[in-house]
Amino acid sequence: MQASFAQVEAFNKKLIDDGHFVYACGLTPPESAQVVNPDATITAGPAVSGDKMLGGFWVIEASSPEVAVALAEQGAAACGQPVELRPMQ
């Protein structure tokens, strides 16, 4: 786990040094989630069940979709997990 943290820290530094970094954040485990519904009811636990979880995220600036994909590939290699890539509106 410590090796993974070091790899992600190095990737974050590279994003910063190269001017791509906007924001990043690790998330607590899914069990800590609460779902707030439109009718104002609140339920404990994640909104979606399953064996996959979102452990954190990066917000980056990329000059093209190709650059974004290349950075996502580097992020996936750094954390040893798949990285989902989505544009922001």
Side-chain angles (χ1 to χ4, degrees), residues 1-68:
M1 187 61 101
Q2 293 304 317
S4 179
F5 289 158
Q7 289 174 271
V8 170
E9 184 177 333
F11 177 64
N12 288 343
K13 182 175 179 345
K14 182 179 181 336
L15 288 174
I16 291 166
D17 292 347
D18 293 347
H20 296 292
F21 187 88
V22 175
Y23 183 76
C25 185
L27 299 173
T28 58
E31 308 78 63
S32 67
Q34 292 182 321
V35 177
V36 179
N37 298 292
D39 64 0
T41 59
I42 300 172
T43 55
V48 178
S49 62
D51 63 345
K52 304 280 187 200
M53 66 174 251
L54 181 63
F57 61 91
W58 288 281
V59 177
I60 63 164
E61 286 189 30
S63 58
S64 69
E66 294 78 19
V67 170

